[in-house]
């Protein structure tokens, strides 16, 4: 798969694995905003998923995830009426 100059999944996985390891011991809450694929990879690494399971995760546009103490919680959001219309 051509990445058009980007790092692609193969490059992102080790980088995100390192980032997750660096921040694992930090006690202060973090808010992490990323592109969808980075979020999928981070959630997969956090849960210890293999690659097929990692990339089979849902890709919601109306939710975010809370990762804490080894747990993953999906939090649904609702778009304001003027945005949803």
């Amino acid at each position: 798969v051509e990445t058009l100059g980007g790092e692609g999944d193969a490059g992102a996985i080790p980088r995100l694995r390192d980032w997750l390891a660096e921040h694992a011991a930090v006690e202060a809450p973090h808010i992490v905003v990323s592109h969808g694929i980075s979020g999928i990879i981070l959630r997969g690494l956090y849960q210890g998923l293999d690659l097929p399971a990692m990339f089979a995760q849902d890709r919601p546009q109306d939710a975010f995830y809370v990762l804490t103490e080894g747990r993953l919680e999906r939090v649904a959001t609702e778009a304001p009426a003027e945005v949803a219309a």
Side-chain angles (χ1 to χ4, degrees):
V1 176
E2 185 177 344
T3 62
L4 302 175
E7 72 182 339
D9 300 344
I13 290 171
R15 181 176 56 80
L16 292 168
R17 181 181 291 121
D18 290 347
W19 184 90
L20 196 59
E22 288 173 20
H23 292 83
V26 177
E27 292 186 20
H30 285 64
I31 295 175
V32 179
V33 179
S34 71
H35 290 285
I37 196 67
S38 295
I40 288 167
I41 293 170
L42 279 172
R43 286 188 282 133
L45 292 170
Y46 187 78
Q47 298 173 90
L49 301 179
D50 62 16
L51 290 178
M54 181 183 299
F55 290 105
Q57 296 181 93
D58 66 336
R59 301 169 185 224
Q61 299 297 310
D62 61 349
F64 62 92
Y65 291 86
V66 177
L67 287 64
T68 185
E69 298 179 3
R71 294 186 321 267
L72 183 94
E73 177 186 358
R74 183 180 192 273
V75 179
T77 62
E78 186 174 313
E82 62 272 7
V83 174

